Amino acid sequence: MVENKKIIMVGIPGVGKTSLLEIMVDILKNHQKNVIVINYGTLMFEVAKENGLKDRDELRKLSVTEQQRLQKIAAEKISEHNEEIVIIDTHAFINTPEGYYPGLPLHVLKIIKPDNFVSVSAKPEEIYNRRMKDETRNRDKITLANIKKELDVQSGMISACSVITGSPVRLVLNTEGNITEAADKIIKAIGL
Amino acid sequence: MVENKKIIMVGIPGVGKTSLLEIMVDILKNHQKNVIVINYGTLMFEVAKENGLKDRDELRKLSVTEQQRLQKIAAEKISEHNEEIVIIDTHAFINTPEGYYPGLPLHVLKIIKPDNFVSVSAKPEEIYNRRMKDETRNRDKITLANIKKELDVQSGMISACSVITGSPVRLVLNTEGNITEAADKIIKAIGL
Amino acid sequence: MVENKKIIMVGIPGVGKTSLLEIMVDILKNHQKNVIVINYGTLMFEVAKENGLKDRDELRKLSVTEQQRLQKIAAEKISEHNEEIVIIDTHAFINTPEGYYPGLPLHVLKIIKPDNFVSVSAKPEEIYNRRMKDETRNRDKITLANIKKELDVQSGMISACSVITGSPVRLVLNTEGNITEAADKIIKAIGL
């Protein structure tokens, strides 16, 4: 295993995780840190393509065994990264018709061995507004009740991840207008 | 391992899981599906009887090690089923004097390797009314606060199960008068 | 493994766990039980000192691998205790700048193999009042919102612990003025 910091950052769509990550990376690079952000979903799709798949939809139709094989390859690729700080940009779960798919199952966590989890949340109303502005989404299905349920599931799943790995989870409330402050807080808290 | 779909369905008493399951099985059989429903509690008791136990109360008094041995045998029996669709009817936890007993511990999940979890809930008020009508229950202990606590624990435990197995969990709100719709939704979502 | 009862008792600061434990031990000793209470944090620090560390702050600065090695030694010491009743006094998580550190990670649970979990909570307002009276605490950071969040995380983490071990978790609400009753209830429920 490479000796560096591996940070897993999760957040349901609309919490503002992408912007938060960009600011974090800016700050870290200004401090001459060797940092890389790996999007787990993108990496999984690359691995799947190398294994013969054509689009993301095919990925979900694979057997559980085959999906886990691809997840394992992706996790191994992450664990081989030797940058000083490796941030894994992912989700505690992905909302699919089959239900909430865990983004960080036990067998993946055992390979990545993250040092820290950062779980980003936001006020349900702010998440609602961000999702309603997102043109790629089906707005009919966006309700405050669903968003609250998703925040609950995120919290439950990330607690399980923390118990499984023994690594701490920092909960971050990303409030509108305070994103640089939030990025700064995370960096100081984790000691990056 | 047999190549079929294994669905674990959980729900605290009073959510209407049994009726929901009956309707699901009806729909699936109408579509010529080879489906079986296994009640985990009943199976555990059968296994216990084969191992010399006389009644359910004795089961709880066994040592943790002995209980886990019986749970393992039951889980292995389930994993050997080769029907097209195997639905395991169980609970995320069982409410005992000792506390909430996990219905699906890690060592059982590793044997069953479920493809999907379905977690049934209902409005606390509807659960309350159903429990109050159930003559086998001690009605004094039924309170809305306890029901809400149980729904919370179910949610936390099933999230842990999902992270451990890597399998998705579909949350289903079973509302009075919409049970056929709920059954239909689950079947379509899971792709049965 | 020694054949006795191992009870893990958790509770966030301010729930009154220490007083509850004292009363439980009094009752058990009055009934001629051979009971020992082990504070996991204190034990971890002792193990750390035997391994060359000077203060608790150094403990947190160790690599994840080194921390886990020390946790393993502490867990093994606990599993070797042969008193009739071994109560492990600990936390579901420790609130650190890095986030919520799981007090009972998977690898520790696998060694201790607890028979029961007892998760103590209290009304957020009572926790708030107790923390405000504690002179060693930074009172600025004490808010009801934070206490509610901590109770949620405790609930999520202990659910994961229960699923991982297969052992039941008894939730106890410690209300002001009813502490002896609560101690009595736990002892009866767990069958000590």
Side-chain angles (χ1 to χ4, degrees), chain B residues 42-68:
Chain B
T42 307
L43 177 61
M44 260 300 279
F45 185 42
E46 279 168 22
V47 169
K49 276 193 292 186
E50 287 166 16
N51 282 265
L53 266 78
K54 272 157 213 147
D55 57 58
R56 288 204 180 207
D57 283 348
E58 274 188 73
L59 200 54
R60 253 178 229 164
K61 288 170 193 159
L62 293 175
S63 70
V64 173
T65 319
E66 183 59 12
Q67 279 194 46
Q68 293 193 344

PDB file of all heavy atoms in Angstrom, chain B residues 42-68:
ATOM      1  N   THR B  42     -39.204 -19.005  10.326  1.00  0.00           N
ATOM      2  CA  THR B  42     -39.732 -20.365  10.300  1.00  0.00           C
ATOM      3  C   THR B  42     -38.621 -21.363   9.965  1.00  0.00           C
ATOM      4  O   THR B  42     -38.494 -22.412  10.605  1.00  0.00           O
ATOM      5  CB  THR B  42     -40.868 -20.461   9.245  1.00  0.00           C
ATOM      6  OG1 THR B  42     -41.814 -19.430   9.525  1.00  0.00           O
ATOM      7  CG2 THR B  42     -41.551 -21.809   9.277  1.00  0.00           C
ATOM      8  N   LEU B  43     -37.803 -21.002   8.979  1.00  0.00           N
ATOM      9  CA  LEU B  43     -36.691 -21.865   8.576  1.00  0.00           C
ATOM     10  C   LEU B  43     -35.706 -22.071   9.736  1.00  0.00           C
ATOM     11  O   LEU B  43     -35.261 -23.193  10.003  1.00  0.00           O
ATOM     12  CB  LEU B  43     -35.976 -21.259   7.366  1.00  0.00           C
ATOM     13  CG  LEU B  43     -34.742 -22.017   6.856  1.00  0.00           C
ATOM     14  CD1 LEU B  43     -35.099 -23.431   6.400  1.00  0.00           C
ATOM     15  CD2 LEU B  43     -34.062 -21.266   5.712  1.00  0.00           C
ATOM     16  N   MET B  44     -35.392 -20.983  10.430  1.00  0.00           N
ATOM     17  CA  MET B  44     -34.468 -21.056  11.571  1.00  0.00           C
ATOM     18  C   MET B  44     -35.004 -22.021  12.626  1.00  0.00           C
ATOM     19  O   MET B  44     -34.264 -22.812  13.197  1.00  0.00           O
ATOM     20  CB  MET B  44     -34.325 -19.668  12.226  1.00  0.00           C
ATOM     21  CG  MET B  44     -33.101 -18.898  11.851  1.00  0.00           C
ATOM     22  SD  MET B  44     -31.541 -19.712  12.269  1.00  0.00           S
ATOM     23  CE  MET B  44     -31.407 -19.291  14.024  1.00  0.00           C
ATOM     24  N   PHE B  45     -36.309 -21.945  12.863  1.00  0.00           N
ATOM     25  CA  PHE B  45     -36.914 -22.813  13.868  1.00  0.00           C
ATOM     26  C   PHE B  45     -36.860 -24.280  13.436  1.00  0.00           C
ATOM     27  O   PHE B  45     -36.599 -25.170  14.247  1.00  0.00           O
ATOM     28  CB  PHE B  45     -38.351 -22.360  14.158  1.00  0.00           C
ATOM     29  CG  PHE B  45     -38.997 -23.119  15.262  1.00  0.00           C
ATOM     30  CD1 PHE B  45     -38.303 -23.429  16.429  1.00  0.00           C
ATOM     31  CD2 PHE B  45     -40.309 -23.562  15.147  1.00  0.00           C
ATOM     32  CE1 PHE B  45     -38.901 -24.152  17.455  1.00  0.00           C
ATOM     33  CE2 PHE B  45     -40.910 -24.285  16.165  1.00  0.00           C
ATOM     34  CZ  PHE B  45     -40.203 -24.580  17.319  1.00  0.00           C
ATOM     35  N   GLU B  46     -37.090 -24.523  12.135  1.00  0.00           N
ATOM     36  CA  GLU B  46     -36.994 -25.895  11.608  1.00  0.00           C
ATOM     37  C   GLU B  46     -35.573 -26.441  11.793  1.00  0.00           C
ATOM     38  O   GLU B  46     -35.377 -27.575  12.229  1.00  0.00           O
ATOM     39  CB  GLU B  46     -37.349 -25.921  10.113  1.00  0.00           C
ATOM     40  CG  GLU B  46     -38.851 -25.941   9.854  1.00  0.00           C
ATOM     41  CD  GLU B  46     -39.170 -25.667   8.384  1.00  0.00           C
ATOM     42  OE1 GLU B  46     -38.293 -25.881   7.525  1.00  0.00           O
ATOM     43  OE2 GLU B  46     -40.295 -25.209   8.116  1.00  0.00           O
ATOM     44  N   VAL B  47     -34.604 -25.620  11.448  1.00  0.00           N
ATOM     45  CA  VAL B  47     -33.200 -26.015  11.598  1.00  0.00           C
ATOM     46  C   VAL B  47     -32.903 -26.307  13.070  1.00  0.00           C
ATOM     47  O   VAL B  47     -32.235 -27.291  13.409  1.00  0.00           O
ATOM     48  CB  VAL B  47     -32.263 -24.895  11.067  1.00  0.00           C
ATOM     49  CG1 VAL B  47     -30.811 -25.156  11.467  1.00  0.00           C
ATOM     50  CG2 VAL B  47     -32.379 -24.781   9.554  1.00  0.00           C
ATOM     51  N   ALA B  48     -33.448 -25.454  13.936  1.00  0.00           N
ATOM     52  CA  ALA B  48     -33.219 -25.624  15.377  1.00  0.00           C
ATOM     53  C   ALA B  48     -33.819 -26.950  15.859  1.00  0.00           C
ATOM     54  O   ALA B  48     -33.197 -27.686  16.624  1.00  0.00           O
ATOM     55  CB  ALA B  48     -33.819 -24.448  16.137  1.00  0.00           C
ATOM     56  N   LYS B  49     -35.029 -27.262  15.369  1.00  0.00           N
ATOM     57  CA  LYS B  49     -35.679 -28.515  15.767  1.00  0.00           C
ATOM     58  C   LYS B  49     -34.857 -29.721  15.311  1.00  0.00           C
ATOM     59  O   LYS B  49     -34.674 -30.682  16.058  1.00  0.00           O
ATOM     60  CB  LYS B  49     -37.100 -28.589  15.180  1.00  0.00           C
ATOM     61  CG  LYS B  49     -38.125 -27.845  16.046  1.00  0.00           C
ATOM     62  CD  LYS B  49     -39.556 -28.183  15.654  1.00  0.00           C
ATOM     63  CE  LYS B  49     -39.884 -27.642  14.269  1.00  0.00           C
ATOM     64  NZ  LYS B  49     -41.298 -27.827  13.901  1.00  0.00           N
ATOM     65  N   GLU B  50     -34.336 -29.646  14.073  1.00  0.00           N
ATOM     66  CA  GLU B  50     -33.470 -30.725  13.576  1.00  0.00           C
ATOM     67  C   GLU B  50     -32.219 -30.874  14.452  1.00  0.00           C
ATOM     68  O   GLU B  50     -31.566 -31.912  14.458  1.00  0.00           O
ATOM     69  CB  GLU B  50     -33.040 -30.444  12.124  1.00  0.00           C
ATOM     70  CG  GLU B  50     -34.171 -30.651  11.118  1.00  0.00           C
ATOM     71  CD  GLU B  50     -33.837 -30.044   9.751  1.00  0.00           C
ATOM     72  OE1 GLU B  50     -32.643 -29.752   9.511  1.00  0.00           O
ATOM     73  OE2 GLU B  50     -34.765 -29.866   8.940  1.00  0.00           O
ATOM     74  N   ASN B  51     -31.884 -29.785  15.152  1.00  0.00           N
ATOM     75  CA  ASN B  51     -30.712 -29.808  16.028  1.00  0.00           C
ATOM     76  C   ASN B  51     -31.085 -29.994  17.494  1.00  0.00           C
ATOM     77  O   ASN B  51     -30.301 -29.682  18.392  1.00  0.00           O
ATOM     78  CB  ASN B  51     -29.888 -28.537  15.826  1.00  0.00           C
ATOM     79  CG  ASN B  51     -29.037 -28.605  14.562  1.00  0.00           C
ATOM     80  OD1 ASN B  51     -27.877 -28.963  14.611  1.00  0.00           O
ATOM     81  ND2 ASN B  51     -29.657 -28.301  13.415  1.00  0.00           N
ATOM     82  N   GLY B  52     -32.329 -30.464  17.734  1.00  0.00           N
ATOM     83  CA  GLY B  52     -32.693 -30.877  19.078  1.00  0.00           C
ATOM     84  C   GLY B  52     -33.488 -29.890  19.925  1.00  0.00           C
ATOM     85  O   GLY B  52     -33.852 -30.198  21.057  1.00  0.00           O
ATOM     86  N   LEU B  53     -33.788 -28.698  19.373  1.00  0.00           N
ATOM     87  CA  LEU B  53     -34.546 -27.729  20.178  1.00  0.00           C
ATOM     88  C   LEU B  53     -36.038 -28.011  20.145  1.00  0.00           C
ATOM     89  O   LEU B  53     -36.563 -28.562  19.175  1.00  0.00           O
ATOM     90  CB  LEU B  53     -34.291 -26.301  19.701  1.00  0.00           C
ATOM     91  CG  LEU B  53     -33.173 -25.603  20.481  1.00  0.00           C
ATOM     92  CD1 LEU B  53     -31.839 -26.097  19.988  1.00  0.00           C
ATOM     93  CD2 LEU B  53     -33.315 -24.113  20.365  1.00  0.00           C
ATOM     94  N   LYS B  54     -36.721 -27.624  21.213  1.00  0.00           N
ATOM     95  CA  LYS B  54     -38.152 -27.911  21.285  1.00  0.00           C
ATOM     96  C   LYS B  54     -39.044 -26.711  20.976  1.00  0.00           C
ATOM     97  O   LYS B  54     -40.081 -26.843  20.358  1.00  0.00           O
ATOM     98  CB  LYS B  54     -38.502 -28.504  22.648  1.00  0.00           C
ATOM     99  CG  LYS B  54     -38.348 -30.033  22.633  1.00  0.00           C
ATOM    100  CD  LYS B  54     -38.130 -30.581  24.024  1.00  0.00           C
ATOM    101  CE  LYS B  54     -37.217 -31.804  23.997  1.00  0.00           C
ATOM    102  NZ  LYS B  54     -36.384 -31.895  25.178  1.00  0.00           N
ATOM    103  N   ASP B  55     -38.694 -25.534  21.464  1.00  0.00           N
ATOM    104  CA  ASP B  55     -39.526 -24.365  21.128  1.00  0.00           C
ATOM    105  C   ASP B  55     -38.672 -23.129  20.855  1.00  0.00           C
ATOM    106  O   ASP B  55     -37.475 -23.096  21.076  1.00  0.00           O
ATOM    107  CB  ASP B  55     -40.556 -24.097  22.231  1.00  0.00           C
ATOM    108  CG  ASP B  55     -39.911 -23.885  23.574  1.00  0.00           C
ATOM    109  OD1 ASP B  55     -39.077 -22.969  23.687  1.00  0.00           O
ATOM    110  OD2 ASP B  55     -40.227 -24.654  24.509  1.00  0.00           O
ATOM    111  N   ARG B  56     -39.349 -22.092  20.343  1.00  0.00           N
ATOM    112  CA  ARG B  56     -38.655 -20.876  19.898  1.00  0.00           C
ATOM    113  C   ARG B  56     -37.917 -20.168  21.034  1.00  0.00           C
ATOM    114  O   ARG B  56     -36.905 -19.520  20.812  1.00  0.00           O
ATOM    115  CB  ARG B  56     -39.652 -19.904  19.256  1.00  0.00           C
ATOM    116  CG  ARG B  56     -40.134 -20.392  17.899  1.00  0.00           C
ATOM    117  CD  ARG B  56     -40.620 -19.241  17.030  1.00  0.00           C
ATOM    118  NE  ARG B  56     -41.067 -19.758  15.743  1.00  0.00           N
ATOM    119  CZ  ARG B  56     -41.066 -19.066  14.615  1.00  0.00           C
ATOM    120  NH1 ARG B  56     -40.667 -17.807  14.625  1.00  0.00           N
ATOM    121  NH2 ARG B  56     -41.471 -19.600  13.495  1.00  0.00           N
ATOM    122  N   ASP B  57     -38.467 -20.271  22.236  1.00  0.00           N
ATOM    123  CA  ASP B  57     -37.831 -19.589  23.364  1.00  0.00           C
ATOM    124  C   ASP B  57     -36.438 -20.129  23.648  1.00  0.00           C
ATOM    125  O   ASP B  57     -35.529 -19.387  24.018  1.00  0.00           O
ATOM    126  CB  ASP B  57     -38.707 -19.712  24.626  1.00  0.00           C
ATOM    127  CG  ASP B  57     -39.876 -18.749  24.568  1.00  0.00           C
ATOM    128  OD1 ASP B  57     -39.857 -17.861  23.678  1.00  0.00           O
ATOM    129  OD2 ASP B  57     -40.811 -18.891  25.371  1.00  0.00           O
ATOM    130  N   GLU B  58     -36.299 -21.461  23.469  1.00  0.00           N
ATOM    131  CA  GLU B  58     -34.989 -22.082  23.681  1.00  0.00           C
ATOM    132  C   GLU B  58     -33.934 -21.492  22.750  1.00  0.00           C
ATOM    133  O   GLU B  58     -32.767 -21.385  23.103  1.00  0.00           O
ATOM    134  CB  GLU B  58     -35.083 -23.589  23.405  1.00  0.00           C
ATOM    135  CG  GLU B  58     -35.535 -24.412  24.594  1.00  0.00           C
ATOM    136  CD  GLU B  58     -35.425 -25.901  24.300  1.00  0.00           C
ATOM    137  OE1 GLU B  58     -34.300 -26.431  24.266  1.00  0.00           O
ATOM    138  OE2 GLU B  58     -36.476 -26.523  24.062  1.00  0.00           O
ATOM    139  N   LEU B  59     -34.388 -21.108  21.539  1.00  0.00           N
ATOM    140  CA  LEU B  59     -33.494 -20.582  20.510  1.00  0.00           C
ATOM    141  C   LEU B  59     -32.714 -19.383  21.029  1.00  0.00           C
ATOM    142  O   LEU B  59     -31.507 -19.263  20.858  1.00  0.00           O
ATOM    143  CB  LEU B  59     -34.339 -20.188  19.291  1.00  0.00           C
ATOM    144  CG  LEU B  59     -33.655 -20.058  17.940  1.00  0.00           C
ATOM    145  CD1 LEU B  59     -32.885 -21.303  17.574  1.00  0.00           C
ATOM    146  CD2 LEU B  59     -34.678 -19.751  16.849  1.00  0.00           C
ATOM    147  N   ARG B  60     -33.442 -18.489  21.701  1.00  0.00           N
ATOM    148  CA  ARG B  60     -32.818 -17.254  22.196  1.00  0.00           C
ATOM    149  C   ARG B  60     -31.866 -17.499  23.356  1.00  0.00           C
ATOM    150  O   ARG B  60     -31.020 -16.670  23.636  1.00  0.00           O
ATOM    151  CB  ARG B  60     -33.925 -16.307  22.683  1.00  0.00           C
ATOM    152  CG  ARG B  60     -34.115 -15.161  21.723  1.00  0.00           C
ATOM    153  CD  ARG B  60     -35.247 -14.279  22.205  1.00  0.00           C
ATOM    154  NE  ARG B  60     -36.169 -14.013  21.115  1.00  0.00           N
ATOM    155  CZ  ARG B  60     -37.389 -13.550  21.286  1.00  0.00           C
ATOM    156  NH1 ARG B  60     -37.850 -13.359  22.515  1.00  0.00           N
ATOM    157  NH2 ARG B  60     -38.150 -13.301  20.260  1.00  0.00           N
ATOM    158  N   LYS B  61     -32.064 -18.630  24.029  1.00  0.00           N
ATOM    159  CA  LYS B  61     -31.236 -18.892  25.210  1.00  0.00           C
ATOM    160  C   LYS B  61     -29.923 -19.576  24.864  1.00  0.00           C
ATOM    161  O   LYS B  61     -29.070 -19.774  25.722  1.00  0.00           O
ATOM    162  CB  LYS B  61     -32.041 -19.723  26.221  1.00  0.00           C
ATOM    163  CG  LYS B  61     -33.143 -18.894  26.887  1.00  0.00           C
ATOM    164  CD  LYS B  61     -34.090 -19.759  27.695  1.00  0.00           C
ATOM    165  CE  LYS B  61     -35.331 -18.985  28.089  1.00  0.00           C
ATOM    166  NZ  LYS B  61     -36.458 -19.884  28.412  1.00  0.00           N
ATOM    167  N   LEU B  62     -29.772 -19.940  23.580  1.00  0.00           N
ATOM    168  CA  LEU B  62     -28.520 -20.566  23.152  1.00  0.00           C
ATOM    169  C   LEU B  62     -27.362 -19.571  23.222  1.00  0.00           C
ATOM    170  O   LEU B  62     -27.576 -18.365  23.190  1.00  0.00           O
ATOM    171  CB  LEU B  62     -28.659 -21.051  21.704  1.00  0.00           C
ATOM    172  CG  LEU B  62     -29.640 -22.190  21.450  1.00  0.00           C
ATOM    173  CD1 LEU B  62     -29.741 -22.446  19.951  1.00  0.00           C
ATOM    174  CD2 LEU B  62     -29.200 -23.451  22.172  1.00  0.00           C
ATOM    175  N   SER B  63     -26.138 -20.076  23.284  1.00  0.00           N
ATOM    176  CA  SER B  63     -24.968 -19.185  23.236  1.00  0.00           C
ATOM    177  C   SER B  63     -24.900 -18.539  21.855  1.00  0.00           C
ATOM    178  O   SER B  63     -25.456 -19.057  20.882  1.00  0.00           O
ATOM    179  CB  SER B  63     -23.698 -19.988  23.485  1.00  0.00           C
ATOM    180  OG  SER B  63     -23.435 -20.818  22.379  1.00  0.00           O
ATOM    181  N   VAL B  64     -24.222 -17.399  21.789  1.00  0.00           N
ATOM    182  CA  VAL B  64     -24.069 -16.689  20.521  1.00  0.00           C
ATOM    183  C   VAL B  64     -23.471 -17.622  19.470  1.00  0.00           C
ATOM    184  O   VAL B  64     -23.930 -17.686  18.331  1.00  0.00           O
ATOM    185  CB  VAL B  64     -23.190 -15.424  20.708  1.00  0.00           C
ATOM    186  CG1 VAL B  64     -22.882 -14.758  19.377  1.00  0.00           C
ATOM    187  CG2 VAL B  64     -23.888 -14.427  21.638  1.00  0.00           C
ATOM    188  N   THR B  65     -22.455 -18.378  19.859  1.00  0.00           N
ATOM    189  CA  THR B  65     -21.767 -19.295  18.941  1.00  0.00           C
ATOM    190  C   THR B  65     -22.737 -20.329  18.371  1.00  0.00           C
ATOM    191  O   THR B  65     -22.738 -20.604  17.164  1.00  0.00           O
ATOM    192  CB  THR B  65     -20.629 -20.036  19.690  1.00  0.00           C
ATOM    193  OG1 THR B  65     -19.970 -19.086  20.533  1.00  0.00           O
ATOM    194  CG2 THR B  65     -19.649 -20.655  18.741  1.00  0.00           C
ATOM    195  N   GLU B  66     -23.590 -20.909  19.239  1.00  0.00           N
ATOM    196  CA  GLU B  66     -24.530 -21.932  18.794  1.00  0.00           C
ATOM    197  C   GLU B  66     -25.604 -21.318  17.886  1.00  0.00           C
ATOM    198  O   GLU B  66     -25.975 -21.897  16.863  1.00  0.00           O
ATOM    199  CB  GLU B  66     -25.167 -22.624  20.014  1.00  0.00           C
ATOM    200  CG  GLU B  66     -26.120 -23.754  19.692  1.00  0.00           C
ATOM    201  CD  GLU B  66     -25.512 -24.894  18.897  1.00  0.00           C
ATOM    202  OE1 GLU B  66     -24.272 -24.952  18.758  1.00  0.00           O
ATOM    203  OE2 GLU B  66     -26.290 -25.722  18.363  1.00  0.00           O
ATOM    204  N   GLN B  67     -26.102 -20.138  18.268  1.00  0.00           N
ATOM    205  CA  GLN B  67     -27.086 -19.452  17.424  1.00  0.00           C
ATOM    206  C   GLN B  67     -26.533 -19.193  16.033  1.00  0.00           C
ATOM    207  O   GLN B  67     -27.221 -19.362  15.029  1.00  0.00           O
ATOM    208  CB  GLN B  67     -27.477 -18.111  18.050  1.00  0.00           C
ATOM    209  CG  GLN B  67     -28.507 -18.234  19.149  1.00  0.00           C
ATOM    210  CD  GLN B  67     -29.096 -16.884  19.499  1.00  0.00           C
ATOM    211  OE1 GLN B  67     -29.455 -16.100  18.627  1.00  0.00           O
ATOM    212  NE2 GLN B  67     -29.205 -16.605  20.780  1.00  0.00           N
ATOM    213  N   GLN B  68     -25.270 -18.768  16.002  1.00  0.00           N
ATOM    214  CA  GLN B  68     -24.668 -18.443  14.708  1.00  0.00           C
ATOM    215  C   GLN B  68     -24.473 -19.698  13.862  1.00  0.00           C
ATOM    216  O   GLN B  68     -24.570 -19.643  12.638  1.00  0.00           O
ATOM    217  CB  GLN B  68     -23.344 -17.708  14.935  1.00  0.00           C
ATOM    218  CG  GLN B  68     -23.601 -16.328  15.568  1.00  0.00           C
ATOM    219  CD  GLN B  68     -22.390 -15.420  15.530  1.00  0.00           C
ATOM    220  OE1 GLN B  68     -21.277 -15.858  15.312  1.00  0.00           O
ATOM    221  NE2 GLN B  68     -22.603 -14.129  15.737  1.00  0.00           N
TER     222      GLN B  68
END
